[in-house]
Amino acid sequence: MVVVTGREPDSRRPDGAMSSSDAEDDFLEPATPTATQAGHALPLLPQEFPEVVPLNIGGAHFTTRLSTLRRYEDTMLAAMFSGRHYIPTDAEGRYFIDRDGTHFGDVLNFLRSGDLPPRERVRAVYKEAQYYAIGPLLEQLENMQPLKGEKVRQAFLGLMPYYKDHLERIVEIARLRAVQRKARFAKLKVCVFKEEMPITPYECPLLNSLRFERSESDGQLFEHHCEVDVSFGPWEAVADVYDLLHCLVTDLSAQGLIVDHQCIGVCDKHLINHYYCKRPIYEFKITWWKWHHHSRSQQKPESHLELLSLPHLLQSIAKS
């Protein structure tokens, strides 16, 4: 008597590594229903695709060659249209992918002829390239602005692993204060400093680098927390305080907030002997919604005389 189980033989090699076919089988598939999920009992046979493939990407229709979709082997599209996976079709027979198709045309243009999107669509197309795992497109987009500049910026922010947490803290403090005051904006103090320990005028002639060497015990004397809401620093890089301030404003603005900031002084905390903190303190004003001020020229005239032309005005004065 022969017993047939539902398990297939393990194709993994004895050393635990996967073969190339195993890796392709484990490749992430898009969120489209399978034949079983759709309620259709279809035989598990290789799916045949025509040479010219009609596509429905989230309601947007495209038509391309099968060879275009298979241009790069290690991509999701190549795996989807390899014949080993079931792709559902819509009422018109187009192969359906449940994904926003707004920028799929840019993906197709790259697969067809290597064309890259304009700068204003680079970020959006990059997300699509990530979803479809198109490595060559990802590499080229990463060398275009604004992604290329963003890589440099993130390298700088990587020196401060707490950056995202402190950024969220700024938003949360501003939200709580705005709610408590029933106001459309809130203010908070932020300390941004590049150097850990202060430098006095007496040490300046001895400096040959950005940092002044002190012993570890001396360094502990300078450890303190400024009386602010959030602090950023120190870091060792060419980028200065103004670069970090720009990063803060950029990331807060990306969340839809209106951000203003100004330096309101320095921390005057006395540390030891003639040493004072002198870290710069900035006041951040976070506004939660815009208030549009209409100029007088945009308002309705306040009197009937403003509606009269000069000749009519003179006649009116003469009659009176």
Side-chain angles (χ1 to χ4, degrees):
M1 181 176 182
V2 179
V3 179
V4 180
T5 65
R7 292 179 59 93
E8 295 182 3
D10 191 356
S11 60
R12 300 180 184 272
R13 292 180 291 182
D15 59 359
M18 293 191 300
S19 65
S20 58
S21 60
D22 292 331
E24 187 177 1
D25 288 339
D26 292 339
F27 199 78
L28 179 64
E29 296 187 41
T32 53
T34 63
T36 303
Q37 293 171 337
H40 302 290
L42 297 180
L44 297 179
L45 298 176
Q47 189 174 10
E48 297 291 337
F49 296 100
E51 181 62 27
V52 177
V53 182
L55 299 170
N56 181 345
I57 314 297
H61 295 172
F62 301 90
T63 303
T64 188
R65 293 175 64 90
L66 181 61
S67 59
T68 299
L69 298 173
R70 296 176 176 176
R71 182 171 300 278
Y72 298 102
E73 294 182 359
D74 298 329
T75 66
M76 181 184 294
L77 289 173
M80 291 172 61
F81 290 91
S82 64
R84 299 185 301 105
H85 304 281
Y86 172 75
I87 308 296
T89 56
D90 62 13
E92 298 177 356
R94 295 179 175 272
Y95 295 97
F96 179 75
I97 298 177
D98 193 8
R99 177 78 174 176
D100 185 3
T102 302
H103 301 287
F104 189 76
D106 290 308
V107 174
L108 275 184
N109 287 336
F110 176 80
L111 295 176
R112 287 165 175 158
S113 55
D115 292 342
L116 296 173
R119 178 175 177 175
E120 61 269 17
R121 296 206 298 269
V122 166
R123 291 184 184 274
V125 178
Y126 187 80
K127 292 182 179 180
E128 299 306 302
Q130 286 180 312
Y131 179 80
Y132 293 109
I134 306 176
L137 178 56
L138 288 171
E139 292 177 2
Q140 294 201 40
L141 292 177
E142 287 173 355
N143 288 322
M144 295 179 60
Q145 289 287 43
L147 295 182
K148 189 173 183 179
E150 182 62 17
K151 288 179 63 177
V152 177
R153 194 176 79 97
Q154 290 300 327
F156 163 54
L157 295 179
L159 298 175
M160 291 164 281
Y162 54 82
Y163 176 80
K164 289 185 178 180
D165 291 337
H166 285 199
L167 191 72
E168 293 176 0
R169 178 171 173 78
I170 289 177
V171 176
E172 183 62 16
I173 293 175
R175 184 188 67 83
L176 290 175
R177 290 181 180 174
V179 171
Q180 292 172 355
R181 296 177 59 246
K182 305 299 187 293
R184 66 185 182 92
F185 67 87
K187 295 180 179 180
L188 62 159
K189 294 180 180 180
V190 178
C191 179
V192 180
F193 62 99
K194 182 176 180 178
E195 297 294 328
E196 175 64 43
M197 294 178 287
I199 298 174
T200 67
Y202 305 102
E203 296 171 338
C204 289
L206 304 178
L207 289 177
N208 294 320
S209 63
L210 293 177
R211 300 183 62 85
F212 184 79
E213 297 298 331
R214 298 184 177 93
S215 65
E216 184 176 352
S217 59
D218 290 339
Q220 294 177 354
L221 297 174
F222 296 94
E223 292 181 358
H224 76 286
H225 298 284
C226 302
E227 296 181 0
V228 295
D229 298 297
V230 183
S231 293
F232 293 87
W235 65 86
E236 293 185 2
V238 176
D240 58 18
V241 169
Y242 298 102
D243 294 317
L244 182 57
L245 289 172
H246 182 269
C247 291
L248 289 172
V249 173
T250 298
D251 292 333
L252 291 172
S253 300
Q255 299 185 35
L257 303 174
I258 304 172
V259 185
D260 296 301
H261 70 281
Q262 61 176 343
C263 183
I264 58 174
V266 296
C267 177
D268 289 325
K269 185 174 182 179
H270 178 254
L271 302 178
I272 184 175
N273 297 333
H274 53 275
Y275 290 98
Y276 291 81
C277 176
K278 300 303 179 183
R279 292 172 180 170
I281 297 178
Y282 295 85
E283 181 183 73
F284 271 66
K285 179 181 177 182
I286 309 297
T287 304
W288 291 93
W289 76 85
K290 294 181 179 180
W291 180 71
H292 297 282
H293 175 71
H294 297 282
S295 62
R296 183 173 180 179
S297 61
Q298 295 174 324
Q299 297 176 352
K300 294 182 179 180
E302 297 179 357
S303 66
H304 174 68
L305 290 178
E306 292 182 23
L307 295 174
L308 298 177
S309 62
L310 181 59
H312 289 105
L313 181 60
L314 294 176
Q315 291 178 4
S316 175
I317 294 175
K319 291 180 180 179
S320 60

